[in-house]
Amino acid sequence: MDSHTKSKDSAVCHEICQSHKNKVIKFFCTNHEFLGCKDCIALNHRKCQIDHIEDKCAGIGDSEEYKTTLIELEQKIKAVDAVIKKATLQDKEVDSTYDHVIKEIVKFRKEINDRLDQLQKQILADAEKKKPEDKETVKKVLERCTDLSSDIKNFKSKLQENKTSQQDGQLYIMIKQAKSKLNMDDLKNAEECLEQTDTLCTFERNKELENILTTHNAFGMLKPFATPMTPGKKSVSVKLTDKGEINIKTQSDRNGCQITDCAELSSTKLLLADYNNCKLKVVDTQIKAVVEEKALNSAPWCIAVLPEDKIAVTVPDKKKILVMAIAGKFSIIRRIPVKGDCRGITYRQDHLYVLCLGSKCVLTVDTHGKVKNIISLKNEIFVNPYYVLLSEDARYFYISNQGSESVVVVTLQGDISAVYKHKDLSAPLGMMMLDDGSLLVCCYCNNTIHHTSGDLNEGQTILDSGLQNPWAIYYNHQDQEVYIGGYCNQLKIRKVASTV
């Protein structure tokens, strides 16, 4: 009796109908998947297939429908959490993007002001230089005319004196001398000199600049940009074809070359970090030869090119960044100490971004060494993060990560946005970005180059021969050529071609 009573009580419904507040929900319309009271069914669902809940609910806690519903709810919770995480991330990105935009606007205005100040200074200097030159010309003309006037007045006076004193012989001589003086071109020359000197000038505005300033978007505009996380963004397939190689081993090298980074000094010159020989080497890509080298006290790892003919080089053994001038001979300007085994380095807008292997972080420092920010890489995904590549919009880092054999995208706030893994991605090291935003990654262990889309959704091996432990890679956008270095005495050259 108790069991029967409990079973009957468990089937009783207590949910109040939303349409009829004094009624309890007792029925379910299977046609319209509608829960309602007796009045709801009588008014709107007379012809439908109706389940009486008290008759149908027995044992539903053990049913497949119950289990499936729990699973679907759990999946929905995870989907909602994912959207919440994405929205939270985008909320942070709104702040960082706004800050970045403001900095860019202010920086651009400063660059314009500095350039206009420079141009103004230049034209003022031209004006200041012209003024004394013109005044000196006029002064010489005045002096010449003053002397000529004095001579003529002197002749006139002497002629009158000789006439009065009846000194005819002397008068004859003075007349001839005076006529000779009158025949001279002194006055004509002075007048021509004056005419040829543009002593008067005016300032003519640069019409192109004036027209630019009158246009609507003369200063610039805000526009959306494609981020590496844009859904559906795919890269164009590429192919690398052999274009030869450059011998980079020099007579003074004691060891085989180990190129850990490549950087562009000019359209025809590359700077290589030769870790094994503790050297920086300049390669001329036109004559295909090493044209300069700089021996260091310790092995260089990665290079960032700075403005005003300067570079920054990480030296892991010394836990330092060397800031060097490259004009003339390489010379060290500054040594920046780093707490950790510094590896990859990149530069953007007066800041260096340095990947530290031991402490697993990316340091943001200015070129004087002051730490501005620390981005932690404490996530378990990071085993041996070696190289860092900043996205074009400066909102993300691509980090090559040995050990977990992956490439990871991290925001400037330290959040992981994407992780790329592939069976062929073996010991990823140096990376570079193609024109479409996709990446080429050096795979050290299997001697390949891997190509992945900017959103890290897809990728494939595109070069698997002719390489020896590829480590560093550089892309010449103008010539669309890739230069690859590694544990090899040759710098490999490959032509980039798009494929359908």
Side-chain angles (χ1 to χ4, degrees), residues 234-241 434 436 438 451 460-462 480 495-500:
K234 294 185 178 181
S235 60
V236 177
S237 298
V238 298
K239 182 180 180 181
L240 300 182
T241 56
L434 293 174
D436 64 349
S438 62
H451 180 227
Q460 61 180 336
T461 296
I462 60 171
Q480 294 187 324
K495 183 73 173 178
V496 179
S498 299
T499 60
V500 179

Side-chain angles (χ1 to χ4, degrees), residues 133-144:
E133 290 176 350
D134 291 346
K135 288 187 71 67
E136 181 65 23
T137 299
V138 173
K139 179 183 177 182
K140 289 180 180 180
V141 171
L142 288 172
E143 289 175 351
R144 191 178 303 176

Side-chain angles (χ1 to χ4, degrees), residues 68-88:
T68 303
T69 302
L70 278 183
I71 293 172
E72 290 176 351
L73 287 173
E74 183 65 27
Q75 291 173 344
K76 184 63 72 174
I77 289 171
K78 289 181 180 179
V80 171
D81 289 342
V83 174
I84 290 173
K85 182 178 179 181
K86 184 177 180 181
T88 304

Side-chain angles (χ1 to χ4, degrees), residues 101-346:
V101 166
I102 297 301
K103 288 179 181 178
E104 281 291 289
I105 292 172
V106 173
K107 182 174 181 289
F108 185 47
R109 175 59 185 270
K110 184 178 183 302
E111 289 175 357
I112 291 174
N113 290 344
D114 291 345
R115 181 56 178 159
L116 289 177
D117 288 344
Q118 183 182 9
L119 294 173
Q120 179 182 334
K121 184 178 180 181
Q122 181 179 337
I123 197 167
L124 287 175
D126 292 341
E128 289 296 324
K129 181 180 178 182
K130 179 174 173 54
K131 179 181 177 181
E133 290 176 350
D134 291 346
K135 288 187 71 67
E136 181 65 23
T137 299
V138 173
K139 179 183 177 182
K140 289 180 180 180
V141 171
L142 288 172
E143 289 175 351
R144 191 178 303 176
C145 290
T146 300
D147 293 342
L148 182 59
S149 176
S150 177
D151 290 343
I152 292 173
K153 288 178 180 179
N154 188 36
F155 275 115
K156 181 181 177 182
S157 175
K158 287 183 178 181
L159 284 172
Q160 290 174 339
E161 289 176 3
N162 288 327
K163 172 69 168 58
T164 303
S165 63
Q166 296 182 352
Q167 297 291 325
D168 293 341
Q170 190 63 30
L171 181 60
Y172 180 91
I173 293 172
M174 291 302 299
I175 290 172
K176 299 303 181 183
Q177 288 179 343
K179 290 179 71 175
S180 177
K181 185 67 175 178
L182 291 172
N183 290 332
M184 294 180 66
D185 294 330
D186 291 1
L187 182 60
K188 182 180 179 182
N189 292 338
E191 192 173 7
E192 288 178 352
C193 181
L194 193 63
E195 290 176 353
Q196 292 173 2
T197 303
D198 295 328
T199 54
L200 299 178
C201 63
T202 184
F203 173 69
E204 182 179 348
R205 295 186 177 191
N206 185 308
K207 292 297 181 183
E208 292 182 7
L209 180 59
E210 193 173 28
N211 292 337
I212 288 173
L213 294 176
T214 59
T215 59
H216 177 64
N217 295 318
F219 189 77
M221 68 180 73
L222 295 177
K223 66 175 185 177
F225 50 76
T227 71
M229 298 299 104
T230 302
K233 179 184 176 184
K234 294 185 178 181
S235 60
V236 177
S237 298
V238 298
K239 182 180 180 181
L240 300 182
T241 56
D242 192 356
K243 289 282 289 183
E245 59 188 31
I246 301 173
N247 180 28
I248 53 174
K249 186 172 177 60
T250 64
Q251 292 182 351
S252 60
D253 287 346
R254 295 183 177 182
N255 305 305
C257 298
Q258 180 188 357
I259 305 304
T260 52
D261 200 17
C262 306
E264 180 187 287
L265 295 183
S266 69
S267 60
T268 60
K269 288 187 178 180
L270 294 181
L271 181 62
L272 310 182
D274 189 343
Y275 190 84
N276 258 8
N277 290 293
C278 298
K279 287 181 180 180
L280 296 174
K281 295 178 177 179
V282 178
V283 173
D284 190 314
T285 56
Q286 286 188 325
I287 64 174
K288 295 186 176 182
V290 175
V291 294
E292 187 179 356
E293 55 185 348
K294 169 69 175 180
L296 301 175
N297 293 328
S298 190
W301 183 273
C302 196
I303 306 164
V305 178
L306 313 182
E308 300 177 350
D309 291 332
K310 295 183 180 67
I311 59 170
V313 182
T314 56
V315 185
D317 294 345
K318 300 294 184 181
K319 296 182 179 180
K320 283 182 173 24
I321 303 169
L322 303 181
V323 179
M324 308 177 70
I326 58 177
K329 294 184 177 180
F330 288 86
S331 59
I332 298 175
I333 300 173
R334 190 176 299 109
R335 293 176 174 85
I336 300 174
V338 179
K339 292 182 179 180
D341 183 2
C342 53
R343 296 286 174 164
I345 188 170
T346 187

